[in-house]
Amino acid sequence: MTVTLLTYTPDADKLVASAAKLCYSRSDISTLMDNLTPDKVESFLTLLNDLGHSSPIEHASFTFGIEGVSRALLAQLTRHRIASFSVQSQRYVDKSSFEYITPPEIESLPEAKAEYIKAMEEDAIHYENLRNILIKKHTETFMSEGIDEKEAKKLAEKKANEDARFVLPNSCDTKIIMTMNVRSLHNFFSLRCCRRAQWEIRELAVEMLRLVRGVAPLLFAKAGPGCVRGKCQEGSYSCKKADEVRKELGFAK
């Protein structure tokens, strides 16, 4: 997995503080940032957190490039609906000899790993066979409609991908560009940095949290699962390892 912070709102901490200041001040918008020192920025962001006033943090957003993840992860990720996604298309991209993600538990068991690799190789064969059959059929159809052979084959390849992709596994790799505002990111980190989250999306969330803290530390100072701020919210499903989670995510005990 590779996660890159592609771009983000400049001076995000200060922008959010100015939005918060507007809510509680008679200042004109043109002078909102005047005298907004680092100490005052921190004070406004602490006030927002204490009051549970989350709307100002929606003004800042972060865009990530994500590679080396599975379609299984994508299905979970897009459940976070207040976000923007651009995803490598299996309809327009030929996935012959596709790369795939191997779960750690399977990787750690030689017998399971061998079975898994065999399944991936078989899927690749079925995908390529189906694609070739469909390309031949569609090329002939397009040529019968008066399209020259070169263009007919080009159109046929795209059309073949559309149906051949149905045999691709959940483990098939994909690439994603994703943008979330800070409020959505807090929700994402609360759910997906938890030990109960599925391993792949948790790995993604922890890395994303590390990246955003590097450029907007005040906005994400308390971001993470409930146990980093207080009591675990998972009830009887708790992993009961809050201290370990806090340490892993960079929080003091």
Side-chain angles (χ1 to χ4, degrees):
M1 180 186 297
T2 302
V3 186
T4 306
L5 182 56
L6 298 177
T7 189
Y8 55 92
T9 302
D11 296 319
D13 288 339
K14 192 172 184 179
L15 173 64
V16 171
S18 68
K21 180 181 176 181
L22 177 66
C23 297
Y24 304 102
S25 168
R26 297 182 63 185
S27 299
D28 295 330
I29 289 177
S30 61
T31 61
L32 270 178
M33 291 195 180
D34 292 354
N35 301 316
L36 201 53
T37 63
D39 286 345
K40 288 184 178 180
V41 167
E42 184 171 3
S43 177
F44 273 113
L45 296 184
T46 300
L47 177 65
L48 288 182
N49 184 69
D50 291 344
L51 295 176
H53 186 187
S54 300
S55 60
I57 68 176
E58 294 178 10
H59 293 294
S61 62
F62 292 73
T63 299
F64 305 86
I66 303 165
E67 299 178 276
V69 295
S70 71
R71 280 268 168 167
L73 179 141
L74 176 64
Q76 297 179 82
L77 192 59
T78 52
R79 294 175 67 187
H80 295 269
R81 294 180 293 277
I82 305 178
S84 299
F85 303 95
S86 295
V87 181
Q88 183 186 66
S89 174
Q90 291 182 344
R91 184 181 183 190
Y92 296 106
V93 177
D94 175 12
K95 297 298 289 185
S96 297
S97 302
F98 61 86
E99 295 184 9
Y100 54 86
I101 311 307
T102 303
E105 290 292 339
I106 292 177
E107 180 71 38
S108 68
L109 297 169
E111 184 179 3
K113 183 178 179 181
E115 185 68 23
Y116 187 76
I117 292 172
K118 181 180 177 182
M120 295 302 103
E121 291 173 345
E122 289 177 355
D123 277 349
I125 292 169
H126 292 308
Y127 174 81
E128 191 163 358
N129 288 343
L130 279 170
R131 189 170 177 273
N132 289 335
I133 292 167
L134 291 167
I135 288 173
K136 182 176 183 298
K137 185 262 185 184
H138 294 320
T139 300
E140 291 171 353
T141 299
F142 285 132
M143 288 178 65
S144 72
E145 295 171 354
I147 299 174
D148 69 82
E149 184 176 0
K150 183 177 180 180
E151 181 63 19
K153 187 172 182 181
K154 183 179 178 181
L155 293 171
E157 288 178 349
K158 290 182 179 179
K159 191 171 177 61
N161 292 343
E162 186 172 292
D163 292 329
R165 63 179 169 162
F166 276 72
V167 299
L168 291 173
N170 270 339
S171 63
C172 186
D173 75 306
T174 193
K175 298 177 177 66
I176 306 163
I177 289 179
M178 178 181 72
T179 301
M180 281 186 176
N181 68 43
V182 175
R183 191 176 190 176
S184 291
L185 282 168
H186 273 268
N187 173 259
F188 179 74
F189 295 141
S190 178
L191 296 170
R192 304 303 188 173
C193 288
C194 175
R195 283 272 180 100
R196 294 197 64 242
Q198 184 262 355
W199 67 268
E200 189 178 18
I201 200 167
R202 184 173 191 271
E203 182 180 331
L204 171 64
V206 169
E207 178 61 11
M208 286 170 56
L209 179 56
R210 185 189 69 80
L211 290 171
V212 297
R213 275 191 182 153
V215 296
L218 294 177
L219 280 176
F220 296 99
K222 295 185 178 180
C227 65
V228 303
R229 295 179 296 277
K231 185 178 179 181
C232 174
Q233 299 170 334
E234 295 296 316
S236 62
Y237 293 103
S238 172
C239 71
K240 298 179 175 59
K241 296 180 179 179
D243 289 345
E244 290 183 20
V245 174
R246 293 185 190 110
K247 183 177 179 181
E248 178 185 4
L249 298 179
F251 291 87
K253 182 176 179 181

